[in-house]
Amino acid sequence: MLSKEMEEALNKQINAELYSAYLYLAMAAYFESINLSGFANWMTIQTQEELTHAKKFYDFVYERGGRVVLGAIDAPPKSWDSPLAAFEGAYEHECKVSAMINDLVNLALKEKDHATNNFLQWFVSEQVEEEASADAVVQKLKLIGDHGNGIFMLDRELGQRVFHAPGTAGE
Ligand code: FEO
């Protein structure tokens, strides 16, 4: 059974994961608008991943006898100044999400809620990957600078990303 405080915190995290999906979909739309379909593909896959994160929290709340209550999702930004600015935004966002997950773990430990702590450990590992994968693109974009050819090649690379449901190979 979840405490009321934990139930509310997990509901807040469902909202944050859905906002993440919305943010990355907005970034996908931005990349489509500047004809970088590979970058858009990367962001679309990221959107799908965020939806699975939200669903994991949703299922867990019910599994533990809680109640999911969905709130309004904030509107994401409409545009970014450059591909680098968008990926820097993605990286910063993931760092914020990591901090939220850490806060949830702290709450679980405070409440001696070992089941929730155990559940959250998947997200602790996932956030390491989430930060690293966004930062990897940031670093490549910094190296490329304004070279159109490099952007074109990176667009092809990012276009090859495919979606793997959590818990499957290549996650
Ligand atoms: Fe659900 Fe990108 O963290």
Side-chain angles (χ1 to χ4, degrees):
M1 190 71 192
L2 296 171
S3 71
K4 268 289 149 214
E5 192 180 352
M6 182 58 83
E7 184 185 74
E8 275 170 28
L10 293 172
N11 269 301
K12 213 171 128 202
Q13 192 64 33
I14 291 173
N15 187 276
E17 300 292 345
L18 292 173
Y19 174 76
S20 301
Y22 219 30
L23 174 66
Y24 295 133
L25 195 59
M27 288 181 177
Y30 159 69
F31 282 120
E32 290 289 3
S33 78
I34 56 172
N35 300 310
L36 289 173
S37 59
F39 282 77
N41 173 66
W42 195 99
M43 287 296 174
T44 303
I45 304 281
Q46 194 60 31
T47 300
Q48 287 175 281
E49 285 208 1
E50 299 302 348
L51 293 174
T52 67
H53 293 171
K55 185 63 166 52
K56 260 178 178 286
F57 278 102
Y58 176 103
D59 290 341
F60 182 75
V61 168
Y62 275 116
E63 226 171 46
R64 301 293 294 153
R67 170 78 162 92
V68 170
V69 180
L70 299 176
I73 303 169
D74 290 341
K78 292 189 183 72
S79 193
W80 287 265
D81 289 341
S82 64
L84 176 60
F87 268 89
E88 281 178 334
Y91 173 69
E92 281 161 23
H93 181 70
E94 287 305 328
C95 291
K96 272 189 217 156
V97 174
S98 298
M100 292 183 81
I101 299 289
N102 287 344
D103 286 346
L104 285 170
V105 171
N106 289 338
L107 179 62
L109 292 175
K110 191 184 91 180
E111 293 188 354
K112 297 188 173 55
D113 179 349
H114 296 290
T116 300
N117 178 38
N118 187 50
F119 165 76
L120 289 169
Q121 291 308 310
W122 184 89
F123 284 94
V124 171
S125 305
E126 176 73 356
Q127 282 311 120
V128 173
E129 274 186 42
E130 291 281 84
E131 286 182 29
S133 62
D135 190 47
V137 182
V138 167
Q139 298 312 320
K140 282 181 186 171
L141 283 166
K142 282 185 176 169
L143 277 175
I144 290 167
D146 288 335
H147 299 286
N149 208 28
I151 296 275
F152 175 70
M153 287 179 54
L154 185 55
D155 191 56
R156 279 178 53 170
E157 182 189 322
L158 299 182
Q160 283 164 19
R161 185 181 185 192
V162 292
F163 177 64
H164 295 282
T168 61
E171 186 184 309

